[in-house]
């Protein structure tokens, strides 16, 4: 029986007791180096075998590559999607399509504040007046609250996306969240992503083909000219480059 088959079998109904941050940090202290050159599927297999149902993946629904990979290893795996209240309709549609077509448990989480309540409490269009606070309220805190249920989380973070992500380990310790952070696609190039999408018929957000190579909330995302930095359309005209989730 392959590791992939065992992982999928063992994942079903698996529940592991939450480990302390010290135990988690020690657990992954040497694993990152060991898995650095491993295929993405093997990295996910390790995480599923190690953390059981206390492992989840996150997706911003720019594409379903990570969700597809994880669903092949562990059908029924939790996929966490942050609904900020400011998503493009195409992003919500991609989320719905992922839930309908892949064997995953799609979890949509959001802040306790509606957009209207946020406007009333902090002033209209907080994404303009204080984008860092807006991201903290609508992304960072909801994710942190949700991750309290898990010991480890996987992201679609890739080193090719931005200079800030070049050092992203495939398995590392997220000290701020007190969780193991897994980035199975960290070493993947843009070409590898495109080939995986083609080979497996993976869902891609329609905006990717309409000049939006990096997709966030609609008020803070612009089209990118061919040849420009794919993330230059995020928070254009400001010094902001990250929402804070990966800080």
């Amino acid at each position: 029986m392959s590791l992939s088959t065992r992982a999928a079998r063992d994942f079903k109904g698996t529940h592991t007791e939450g480990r302390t941050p010290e135990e988690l940090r020690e657990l992954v202290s040497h694993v990152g180096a060991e898995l650095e050159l491993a295929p993405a599927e093997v990295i996910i297999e390790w995480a599923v075998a190690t953390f059981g149902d206390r492992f989840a993946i996150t997706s911003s629904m720019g594409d379903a590559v990570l969700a597809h990979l994880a669903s092949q290893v562990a059908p029924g795996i939790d996929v966490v999607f942050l609904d900020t209240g400011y998503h493009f309709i195409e992003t919500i549609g991609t989320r719905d399509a992922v839930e309908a077509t892949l064997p995953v448990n799609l979890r949509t989480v959001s802040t306790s504040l509606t957009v209207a309540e946020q406007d009333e409490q902090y002033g209209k269009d907080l994404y303009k007046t204080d984008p860092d606070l807006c991201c903290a309220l609508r992304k960072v805190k909801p994710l942190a609250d949700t991750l309290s249920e898990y010991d480890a989380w996987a992201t679609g973070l890739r080193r090719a996306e931005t200079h800030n992500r070049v050092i992203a380990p495939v398995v590392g310790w997220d000290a701020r969240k007190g969780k193991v952070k897994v980035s199975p696609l960290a070493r993947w190039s843009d070409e590898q992503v495109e080939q995986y999408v083609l080979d497996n018929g993976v869902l891609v957000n329609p905006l990717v083909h309409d000049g939006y190579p990096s997709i966030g909330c609609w008020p803070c995302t612009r089209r990118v000219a061919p040849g420009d930095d794919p993330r230059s359309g995020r928070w254009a005209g400001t010094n902001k480059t990250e929402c804070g989730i990966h800080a």
Side-chain angles (χ1 to χ4, degrees):
M1 184 182 298
S2 69
L3 176 57
S4 174
T5 303
R6 290 200 308 273
R9 180 202 64 190
D10 295 342
F11 184 80
K12 291 296 188 179
T14 296
H15 179 80
T16 57
E17 293 298 325
R19 298 177 174 95
T20 67
E22 292 74 19
E23 290 171 331
L24 291 171
R25 188 167 57 246
E26 176 62 25
L27 179 66
V28 302
S29 59
H30 303 295
V31 171
E34 294 173 1
L35 292 176
E36 170 64 23
L37 300 180
E41 294 88 344
V42 171
I43 297 167
I44 296 172
E45 287 166 354
W46 169 83
V48 169
T50 302
F51 303 107
D53 64 3
R54 291 188 66 84
F55 171 66
I57 72 169
T58 56
S59 177
S60 61
M61 298 300 164
D63 60 54
V65 170
L66 183 58
H68 184 276
L69 269 168
S71 73
Q72 305 309 297
V73 175
I77 194 169
D78 286 357
V79 175
V80 176
F81 171 74
L82 295 173
D83 188 350
T84 65
Y86 284 116
H87 279 304
F88 289 97
I89 189 170
E90 290 88 347
T91 301
I92 298 300
T94 302
R95 176 205 61 184
D96 293 345
V98 166
E99 184 175 27
T101 61
L102 292 180
V104 298
N105 178 39
L106 199 294
R107 295 190 60 188
T108 297
V109 300
S110 59
T111 180
S112 58
L113 285 174
T114 66
V115 170
E117 290 170 339
Q118 179 173 288
D119 285 348
E120 181 177 355
Q121 185 170 341
Y122 294 95
K124 184 172 174 57
D125 297 343
L126 186 62
Y127 56 82
K128 290 182 180 178
T129 60
D130 194 340
D132 287 336
L133 179 58
C134 189
C135 285
L137 292 171
R138 311 204 74 79
K139 290 185 177 181
V140 179
K141 187 179 187 303
L143 178 62
D145 291 344
T146 301
L147 289 182
S148 66
E149 303 172 30
Y150 302 98
D151 287 338
W153 63 302
T155 78
L157 201 69
R158 291 189 300 113
R159 295 167 186 166
E161 292 175 316
T162 170
H163 296 305
N164 294 335
R165 299 177 176 182
V166 169
I167 60 173
V170 295
V171 177
W173 175 244
D174 189 331
R176 179 173 293 185
K177 296 180 180 64
K179 306 292 176 184
V180 176
K181 185 176 180 180
V182 184
S183 300
L185 308 180
R187 295 185 299 106
W188 281 31
S189 65
D190 294 343
E191 291 73 23
Q192 284 176 289
V193 173
E194 293 170 4
Q195 193 62 52
Y196 187 89
V197 167
L198 290 172
D199 291 345
N200 296 279
V202 172
L203 288 162
V204 175
N205 191 316
L207 292 174
V208 170
H209 305 297
D210 190 29
Y212 295 87
S214 180
I215 304 165
C217 297
W218 67 261
C220 305
T221 306
R222 300 290 180 268
R223 285 186 176 86
V224 174
D228 283 355
D229 182 340
R231 287 185 63 83
S232 63
R234 303 289 295 277
W235 305 287
T238 75
N239 293 325
K240 186 174 174 63
T241 59
E242 296 283 350
C243 65
I245 286 176
H246 300 295

